[in-house]
Amino acid sequence: MFWKFDLNTTSHVDKLLDKEDVTLHELMDEDDILQECKAQNRKLLDFLCQQHCMEELVNLITHEPPVDMDEKVRFKYPNTACELLTSDVPQINDKLGGDETLLNILYDFLDHEPPLNPLLASFFSKTIGNLIARKTEQVIAFLRKKDKFISLVLKHIDTSAMMDLLLRLISCVEPATLRQEVLNWLNEAKIIQRLVELIHSSQDEDRQSNASQTLCDIIRLSRDQSNQLQEVPEPDPLLTALES
């Protein structure tokens, strides 16, 4: 049996993009949008990387969807938005990592009152984590300018996604010189001492549990890192603080 393949078939996404008034939500309703994005469909990426589209995508992953929506579809768009923003496509990484307006919209999620929505927190953490790995220098410089960053992450440490974010900062930054700068910055912010203070009966159980788990993971990651590097430029300040 012979199958005929039409190599010139146009995707539903391309057909939609030919419409003058197509909306982001219309495109996100298409099952193959993520596939087309990862395949670096030029027309789609140009559309997604428009300022208003990027702002809408970031808003979707950082703001609670309307409560009157059907629970089955309530987080459909935020989930798709997160998948698009973390699809590891250079054009999207460059736009998100290099635009302070977008980074500020993303960062403002930390200003929400606790408890954070755990699903949105996971979208936020995954997106920032991807940027830490892909647009390292820009994002680290941005976060270091935010005086309240460490305090806000610790404020929300009862949400496990914040624990993941801290660990990404410790383990995903390269090159080694920049990683050392980040470790020194976290140490100057007394991250270890503040995590230890959270393991206290006055704190709720989730905060105590996640703070202690974070400390355990910092020990493991720091020791793994020092074992892998033949020449360690200077001692790991977080490990030194813990061991003291």
Side-chain angles (χ1 to χ4, degrees):
M1 191 177 213
F2 293 96
W3 295 93
K4 287 187 178 177
F5 291 103
D6 180 0
L7 297 176
N8 297 314
T9 52
T10 307
S11 72
H12 286 295
V13 168
D14 276 331
K15 286 174 185 169
L16 275 176
L17 286 165
D18 287 335
K19 284 173 54 181
E20 277 186 24
D21 56 350
V22 65
T23 65
L24 180 59
H25 277 224
E26 279 181 275
L27 284 166
M28 291 169 82
D29 282 330
E30 288 299 321
D31 291 337
D32 58 346
I33 184 170
L34 192 59
Q35 185 183 330
E36 290 290 320
C37 179
K38 288 182 174 177
Q40 301 194 33
N41 177 323
R42 175 59 52 198
K43 200 190 292 188
L44 174 62
L45 290 179
D46 287 346
F47 181 88
L48 293 177
C49 287
Q50 294 175 96
Q51 188 70 21
H52 71 93
C53 284
M54 288 297 287
E55 287 183 14
E56 192 174 345
L57 287 170
V58 177
N59 273 312
L60 278 167
I61 66 166
T62 53
H63 291 82
E64 289 266 358
V67 289
D68 57 355
M69 284 178 75
D70 181 348
E71 205 57 40
K72 287 181 183 172
V73 296
R74 194 164 167 241
F75 285 95
K76 177 192 168 193
Y77 293 120
N79 183 59
T80 304
C82 178
E83 291 297 321
L84 290 169
L85 291 171
T86 60
S87 56
D88 212 13
V89 173
Q91 194 172 335
I92 291 176
N93 289 341
D94 291 347
K95 177 64 179 170
L96 186 54
D99 189 310
E100 202 141 315
T101 301
L102 295 171
L103 289 175
N104 274 316
I105 298 171
L106 189 59
Y107 178 84
D108 286 347
F109 178 70
L110 290 173
D111 271 328
H112 292 190
E113 280 305 305
L116 295 175
N117 178 297
L119 198 51
L120 290 181
S122 71
F123 296 155
F124 166 83
S125 177
K126 185 177 179 182
T127 304
I128 287 266
N130 180 64
L131 290 174
I132 288 169
R134 296 292 178 236
K135 306 301 292 181
T136 312
E137 287 186 24
Q138 294 98 312
V139 175
I140 296 297
F142 171 80
L143 293 176
R144 288 184 72 173
K145 284 190 292 185
K146 301 290 186 183
D147 295 337
K148 289 163 60 185
F149 172 65
I150 304 294
S151 298
L152 288 171
V153 170
L154 291 175
K155 178 181 176 180
H156 298 301
I157 200 73
D158 55 324
T159 308
S160 58
M162 293 301 124
M163 181 171 72
D164 296 340
L165 176 55
L166 265 184
L167 296 173
R168 278 178 179 273
L169 273 174
I170 291 163
S171 62
C172 293
V173 173
E174 289 182 357
T177 49
L178 183 56
R179 179 177 183 271
Q180 193 68 37
E181 278 181 40
V182 169
L183 294 178
N184 290 335
W185 163 49
L186 293 173
N187 190 48
E188 284 159 18
K190 300 208 176 311
I191 189 86
I192 297 300
Q193 293 85 337
R194 289 159 80 178
L195 283 166
V196 170
E197 284 169 10
L198 291 173
I199 309 171
H200 191 276
S201 56
S202 64
Q203 303 290 337
D204 68 54
E205 200 174 312
D206 286 341
R207 289 169 74 76
Q208 290 185 59
S209 173
N210 285 356
S212 61
Q213 184 61 52
T214 304
L215 289 168
C216 291
D217 287 340
I218 289 172
I219 295 168
R220 179 179 54 79
L221 288 168
S222 299
R223 290 197 169 141
D224 285 353
Q225 198 80 23
S226 60
N227 288 338
Q228 285 168 16
L229 297 172
Q230 298 303 315
E231 294 177 22
V232 182
E234 52 187 285
D236 185 316
L238 302 186
L239 197 54
T240 304
L242 264 164
E243 289 172 344
S244 70

